[in-house]
């Protein structure tokens, strides 16, 4: 439940401003005493496995971006490491109560990490993982030196937004500020309002949020008469490079951030954009096929279907839907993802539901199906969703567990493994599993939290709506 101390204006914005049934969730006490014991042991198992994977990272990849768990080695995203796994892992370790491990990361970040590196960083990815991770590290630790790192990183990202449209270039050089890459997808164009809004709030400097919001408005203002957007755009001209409309990888977090940023800050303009965007998505993109509900790709001008390919990223959508109050649609979509997971034993990255075959059979330890089951478990109290996440955890344990940690699967039809443990396994997958199995313990107040798209949590009641309006300048 929302905290009673929540400022009245925020309550008004969240409840009265939403008008269509959006509400905070109700955790239902639906676990029997026996199930609670079982859930406790699952939560403890996830913590143990997280610790085991973290120790593997420290042993084989410390100081680098990503653990390669099969070769017991490491990979970096760029010529110099940015320490992405630990930054992404911090909030999960903290939420699990692994405070020594979390404190070690915090010390390393303030003492040894600097961003004055001559590398071209991918703006979208470093925003959700590094800026989002640092901001949640600050929120959880209160360490002002962490905030200084986040501000420094935000400053280094800003030159990317200096384009005629306000949509950021694909890359930015962290040292020189030189940006390049004129073609971006919508997720890369407009998944910034949460992190940059939070940075504006903490620093009381609106320029970050203003840059992020301009990019979001640049996408929204280019919608078709049907209210649909394309998926790839030129940041210099604002011309759509692809007019395919969908909620798949390459667009997904645009919609997620419209709603979540509105919820966190109460900017009415974002609420209006969400309200005007979600109807066309439901009308044109949701498709029935053989008794299941899927999402299609359609032409943004005609609404005609262009493809029946879904990506496993699309499974974020039930979470956003149930958060916004549309539980019925969220349940139907999640049942489809559950069917696909159980068909293969893990979910393929890309699947064509009309052909009934994967287009790209990789599973990279992604969180989305689990994330949505966690939301549904929280909001409905139906143990079906708890059971689903138990099933998914068993699948991951069976197919992805290695001698030292967890790894991706190259092909869900053969379960052949691939040598990489993505940073979001720490940030998202393990966190959502732990929060599912520990929900009944009541230690983590979901209703007072909003996760960025990389599952870094931020406390809603820590953002005063009147101050948000001032610090973000909306
Ligand atoms: C994560 O990096 C983020 O959640 C992103 O928005 C899309 N999905 C990946 C993990 O699958």
């Amino acid at each position: 439940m929302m905290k009673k101390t929540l400022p009245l204006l925020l309550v008004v914005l969240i409840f009265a401003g939403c008008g269509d049934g959006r509400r905070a969730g109700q955790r239902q006490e639906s676990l029997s005493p026996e199930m609670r014991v079982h859930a406790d042991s699952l939560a403890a198992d996830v913590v143990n496995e997280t610790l085991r994977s973290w120790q593997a990272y420290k042993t084989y990849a410390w100081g680098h971006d990503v653990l390669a768990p099969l070769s017991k080695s490491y990979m970096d995203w760029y010529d110099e490491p940015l320490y992405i796994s630990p930054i992404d892992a911090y909030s999960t370790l903290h939420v699990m109560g692994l405070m020594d491990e979390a404190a070690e990361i915090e010390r390393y970040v303030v003492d040894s990490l600097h961003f004055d590196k001559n590398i071209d960083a991918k703006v979208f990815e470093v925003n959700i993982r590094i800026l989002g991770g640092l901001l949640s590290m600050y929120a959880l630790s209160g360490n002002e030196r962490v905030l200084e790192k986040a501000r420094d990183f935000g400053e280094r990202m800003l030159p990317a937004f200096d384009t005629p449209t306000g949509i950021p270039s694909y890359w930015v050089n962290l040292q020189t500020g030189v940006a390049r890459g004129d073609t971006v997808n919508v997720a890369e164009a407009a998944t910034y309002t949460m992190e940059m809004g939070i940075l504006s709030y903490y620093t009381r400097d609106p320029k970050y949020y203003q840059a992020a919001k301009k990019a979001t408005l640049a996408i929204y203002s280019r919608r078709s008469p049907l209210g649909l957007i394309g998926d790839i755009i030129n940041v210099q001209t604002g011309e759509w490079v692809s007019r395919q409309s969908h909620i798949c990888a390459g667009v997904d977090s645009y919609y997620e951030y419209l709603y979540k940023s509105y919820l966190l800050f109460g900017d009415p303009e974002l609420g209006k954009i969400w309200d005007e965007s979600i109807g066309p998505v439901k009308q044109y993109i949701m498709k029935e096929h053989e008794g299941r509900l899927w999402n299609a790709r359609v032409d943004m001008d005609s609404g005609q279907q262009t493809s029946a390919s879904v990506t496993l990223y699309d499974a974020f959508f039930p979470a956003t839907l149930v958060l916004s109050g549309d539980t019925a649609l969220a349940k139907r979509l999640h049942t489809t993802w559950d069917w696909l997971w159980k068909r293969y034993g893990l979910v393929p990255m890309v699947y064509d539901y009309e052909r009934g075959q994967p287009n790209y059979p990789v599973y990279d330890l992604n969180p989305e199906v689990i994330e949505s089951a966690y939301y549904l478990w929280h909001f409905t109290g139906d143990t079906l969703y708890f059971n689903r996440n138990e099933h998914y955890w068993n699948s991951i344990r069976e197919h992805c567990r290695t001698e030292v940690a967890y790894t991706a699967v190259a092909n869900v039809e053969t379960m052949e493994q691939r040598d990489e443990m993505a940073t979001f396994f720490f940030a998202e997958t393990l966190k959502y599993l732990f929060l599912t199995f520990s929900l009944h313990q009541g230690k983590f107040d979901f209703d007072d939290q909003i996760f960025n798209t990389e599952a870094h949590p931020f406390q809603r009641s820590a953002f005063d709506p009147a101050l948000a309006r001032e610090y973000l300048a909306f």
Side-chain angles (χ1 to χ4, degrees), residues 426-439:
F426 276 132
E428 302 192 66
T429 313
L430 290 165
K431 185 185 281 129
Y432 289 132
L433 286 164
F434 171 74
L435 290 175
T436 300
F437 303 141
S438 63
L439 183 64

Side-chain angles (χ1 to χ4, degrees), residues 198-375:
I198 292 166
L199 184 59
S200 282
Y201 191 93
Y202 289 158
T203 60
R204 306 181 183 191
D205 185 340
K207 71 181 173 193
Y208 310 105
Y209 182 67
Q210 290 302 316
K213 185 173 169 183
K214 187 174 175 191
T216 295
L217 292 175
I219 293 298
Y220 174 67
S221 67
R222 288 169 172 82
R223 68 196 179 281
S224 72
L226 299 182
L228 294 171
I229 54 168
D231 60 349
I232 302 178
I233 197 160
N234 184 299
V235 308
Q236 299 295 333
T237 64
E239 296 290 323
W240 289 112
V241 175
S242 163
R243 303 181 73 83
Q244 222 178 200
S245 201
H246 55 82
I247 57 156
C248 306
V251 174
D252 50 354
S253 44
Y254 165 75
Y255 289 106
E256 180 183 353
Y257 273 28
L258 289 178
Y259 189 69
K260 287 185 174 177
S261 304
Y262 167 59
L263 214 51
L264 190 58
F265 306 123
D267 183 342
E269 210 172 347
L270 290 188
K272 184 168 168 288
I273 295 174
W274 162 263
D275 283 338
E276 289 176 4
S277 302
I278 192 63
V281 167
K282 290 179 185 174
Q283 183 178 351
Y284 296 105
I285 291 178
M286 299 298 117
K287 296 281 174 195
E288 287 270 345
H289 181 72
E290 294 179 345
R292 293 186 189 89
L293 189 67
W294 297 90
N295 46 278
R297 295 165 195 255
V298 304
D299 180 86
M300 67 183 272
D301 302 299
S302 67
Q304 291 301 308
Q305 183 173 323
T306 53
S307 162
S309 265
V310 291
T311 70
L312 66 77
Y313 288 18
D314 317 3
F316 86 99
F317 200 48
T320 302
L321 284 173
V322 72
L323 185 67
S324 73
D326 195 343
T327 309
L329 191 58
K331 283 179 170 178
R332 285 207 64 202
L333 284 170
H334 199 270
T335 297
T336 300
W337 288 105
D338 182 64
W339 171 82
L340 190 60
W341 187 297
K342 287 170 181 164
R343 177 171 178 184
Y344 289 100
L346 292 170
V347 183
M349 181 70 74
V350 186
Y351 177 78
D352 187 312
Y353 53 84
E354 286 181 352
R355 291 195 310 118
Q357 280 176 10
N359 294 346
Y360 184 48
V362 164
Y363 174 68
D364 275 340
L365 296 166
N366 309 76
E368 287 82 358
V369 180
I370 293 165
E371 170 186 3
S372 281
Y374 165 57
Y375 275 60

Side-chain angles (χ1 to χ4, degrees), residues 124-125 128-129 252-253 313 366-368 424 428 453-454:
F124 165 79
E125 293 292 355
I128 65 172
R129 302 183 203 221
D252 50 354
S253 44
Y313 288 18
N366 309 76
E368 287 82 358
F424 51 70
E428 302 192 66
T453 192
E454 193 74 359

